[in-house]
Structures are given as structure tokens and as C-alpha cells.
Amino acid sequence: MKRLLMTLVSLTFVLTCFSQQRPKIGLVLGGGGAKGAAEVGALKVIERAGLHVDYIAGTSIGAIVGSLYAAGYTATELDSMFCQQEWLSLLTDRRMDLSGEPYKQVNGVTYIFGFPVHDQDAPSWGVLRGGSVEQAVDSMLSLRNGVEFETLKIPFRCVAAELKTAQEVVLKDGAVPQAVRASMAIPGLFKAVVINGQPLIDGGMMNNLPVDVVRDMGADIVIAIDLQQARHKTREKSSSPLVDLAGMIGLGGVADWVLSRPDIRKYNDNIKAADVYVNPPLPDYEASSFGNASMRRMIDIGEEAMQKQWDKLMEIKRKTQQ
């Protein structure tokens, strides 16, 4: 018995040392609306390579994909979800029971053919509340006991931006569905989500490819999937009477963002900081390209793009198994 206990202690020690010494893999999932389907295809190849992801950071649609993957859903399961989901109704909060009504008011909400266009009880910026997508994410995460950040199988962070100051906010605790909903709240389309007293909107405004976030989580090796199809030059910070005027009404951060675009600077830096950078070619698709046929093709494109990185993935596998 004593010898058995000594053996178990030794084995535990070896496994602990291995876990501590093994390079940690971070996965970054960028924003891009419907083009997030390509991230699902890329995940298929990562799984095929036998890589274990240790940390995940995502923005907007990348937050949706990332949260579900962190909860334990496989790439194959996500494939089925993306192709079967009625995304237009989900993201627009459309009421299908009113889809035949040209104009209808229900409980203070005005609908046109089932699409909510005005809510008298929520006059803030943005038309859509995004409640349907939050409920859908909540339902899917509940099945894997991953509604709270602390219960996810893989540590996960998602990025949002504070509405008035345009400051980046990294969400890492509390309710995951609400955080994901904030991360995808496109300004002018979705209403801001208030978390800890802060009105939050789409994280793509500040950090659409959060490589730095997953590095801060502890990742030694980063695999980044970028859905953007156009690069932009970094702008120099400048001053303007517009910033001063906006500051007087509490929107100075937004005006400054418009002039200097700090998100572009961070985006360009994050591309350089990724060890494996994948940018699936999606010029024929938009952020609004929802539909089963488009989803199927974008998943395939993402898979093809990641497959081209196979040698790098195998090198990562060798490093993490030494």
C-alpha cells in the first residue's frame, strides 16, 4: 500500500510539472458578423490537429463562438448550429407571429413585418435589444453548465467598449450571455448593455482581434482568426474642436476615437503578435450574409484557410507535447 501511495504521489508530481511547463495555447476569434462561420471551420482543423486550447478571447461574433467552444461544444456541433439557426430572426428579435403584419404596436414596441423598429420604453441609441440572441446563448450554455464565466471548461474573455468614453472593457466574470450580448452590440443597431453601471457596446470598436487579451490570460502561443477583409493604416492622434465639443456633452471619447482610430493601431499590433494568423478570404460575403448556403460555404472557407497552416499547427503540437 505504501509503495502504491508513493507511486501515485510521484505520478501526480510529474503530471503537475508537465501541466505547468507545457506552453499554453490561446485562441483569438475576431468579430465580423455572419463571417464568424469561418471560425467554426477553422476550429475543425485545430481539433483535427489534436491541439488543446487553454485560453479563448473573442469579440462580437467571435464572443459567441468562443463562449460556446469554451463551454465544451465541439466544432462539429457548432457547424450544425450555424447552418440550422435562423440568424436573421435571432439577431433582430423578430416576432414571427407578426411577420405578416405591415405595422403593429405591442406593449410599446412598434413592429414592421415582425421586425422591432421602435421601443418607447427604451429610447436609448440603437433599435434592437438583442434579447433573442442572449436567450439563445444562455440556453445553449445552460446545457453545458457554462452560464457563468467561472463554470466554463476553458477560461474565456470577451471584449466590449464603454459607450461614452470609447474605452475597451474586457469582460471576465458574471453572466456569459449578457457579456456576449454586450460584445456584439453594434452602435446604432443594438442598444447598449449596462454591466456594472457601464453602458457597453460592440468590442470591435476598440479591439476586434484581441490577441493582447489572450496573452494577458497567460497564452504562450496564439492562434488568431481574423475575419476582416481590409487593412488600414494607423492614424496619428490629433486634436480637434469636435473633440472639445463632444467632451462637453460627455462623448469626448467617441469623437477622439473617430479622429484617431486607436482600434486600427491595436488591430495592426495584434496581427503581428499572433503566432498563427489566419485571415479566411471572404470578399464575397458581408457581416449580414446570413443564410444556410452562405454559412456552409464560409465554414468551408475557414477550414481551408486553417488547413494551410497545418505545418505550423503540427509544430505547436510538438512544442506542447514535449
Side-chain angles (χ1 to χ4, degrees):
M1 179 62 73
K2 184 176 180 180
R3 181 176 297 178
L4 176 60
L5 289 175
M6 290 296 294
T7 301
L8 290 175
V9 169
S10 299
L11 179 59
T12 301
F13 176 77
V14 171
L15 291 176
T16 301
C17 290
F18 174 78
S19 177
Q20 292 175 342
Q21 295 175 1
R22 179 180 68 81
K24 303 295 186 181
I25 300 174
L27 174 65
V28 176
L29 302 170
K35 291 180 285 187
E39 295 175 333
V40 175
L43 285 174
K44 286 185 171 185
V45 181
I46 291 175
E47 288 184 356
R48 194 179 304 142
L51 297 181
H52 170 74
V53 174
D54 298 286
Y55 306 106
I56 302 174
T59 299
S60 200
I61 190 67
I64 294 180
V65 177
S67 66
L68 295 174
Y69 200 67
Y73 283 95
T74 66
T76 299
E77 290 173 321
L78 293 176
D79 182 309
S80 297
M81 289 180 192
F82 263 74
C83 291
Q84 295 174 9
Q85 180 64 57
E86 179 48 62
W87 285 96
L88 181 61
S89 298
L90 183 66
L91 294 173
T92 60
D93 294 332
R94 188 183 191 189
R95 284 187 53 172
M96 296 308 296
D97 58 323
L98 300 178
S99 60
E101 299 280 352
Y103 178 90
K104 189 76 173 181
Q105 281 190 320
V106 180
N107 298 326
V109 180
T110 301
Y111 295 89
I112 295 181
F113 292 107
F115 292 102
V117 297
H118 178 69
D119 186 346
Q120 66 181 23
D121 295 328
S124 59
W125 292 1
V127 175
L128 307 173
R129 288 185 176 182
S132 296
V133 71
E134 184 174 334
Q135 291 172 10
V137 172
D138 182 272
S139 177
M140 288 184 282
L141 290 177
S142 295
L143 294 175
R144 301 298 168 92
N145 191 34
V147 174
E148 301 290 324
F149 277 89
E150 294 76 12
T151 61
L152 293 170
K153 292 180 174 62
I154 301 173
F156 168 69
R157 304 284 185 270
C158 66
V159 178
E162 207 279 338
L163 175 61
K164 294 182 179 180
T165 63
Q167 294 297 307
E168 178 180 348
V169 177
V170 178
L171 299 167
K172 58 183 180 180
D173 51 37
V176 178
Q178 185 183 39
V180 168
R181 159 74 181 85
S183 183
M184 53 154 284
I186 302 171
L189 180 60
F190 288 95
K191 295 183 184 301
V193 178
V194 179
I195 298 178
N196 296 327
Q198 293 181 296
L200 304 180
I201 56 176
D202 194 313
M205 180 177 178
M206 285 305 301
N207 194 353
N208 204 49
L209 192 69
V211 171
D212 57 321
V213 173
V214 86
R215 287 283 189 198
D216 288 343
M217 292 175 73
D220 301 299
I221 300 171
V222 176
I223 301 172
I225 305 170
D226 180 16
L227 304 176
Q228 300 304 299
Q229 301 300 299
R231 301 286 180 83
H232 301 280
K233 292 183 178 180
T234 299
R235 297 183 189 177
E236 294 299 323
K237 186 177 179 63
S238 60
S239 60
S240 166
L242 173 62
V243 176
D244 297 331
L245 177 61
M248 295 173 64
I249 59 175
L251 295 174
V254 175
D256 184 59
W257 178 88
V258 171
L259 290 174
S260 61
R261 292 300 301 275
D263 60 310
I264 295 177
R265 183 180 298 106
K266 176 165 281 192
Y267 170 72
N268 290 335
D269 289 343
N270 278 335
I271 288 176
K272 297 174 184 176
D275 297 287
V276 178
Y277 172 74
V278 178
N279 186 211
L282 302 165
D284 298 329
Y285 299 94
E286 303 293 336
S288 58
S289 296
F290 292 102
N292 290 351
S294 295
M295 288 291 180
R296 177 75 272 147
R297 181 56 189 142
M298 286 190 284
I299 289 174
D300 292 342
I301 291 174
E303 186 171 359
E304 293 163 5
M306 184 59 81
Q307 187 66 41
K308 293 179 180 178
Q309 302 292 325
W310 185 258
D311 289 345
K312 288 186 178 181
L313 297 182
M314 289 296 98
E315 179 60 27
I316 292 173
K317 186 175 183 178
R318 283 191 288 272
K319 288 180 179 179
T320 57
Q321 290 186 344
Q322 290 179 350

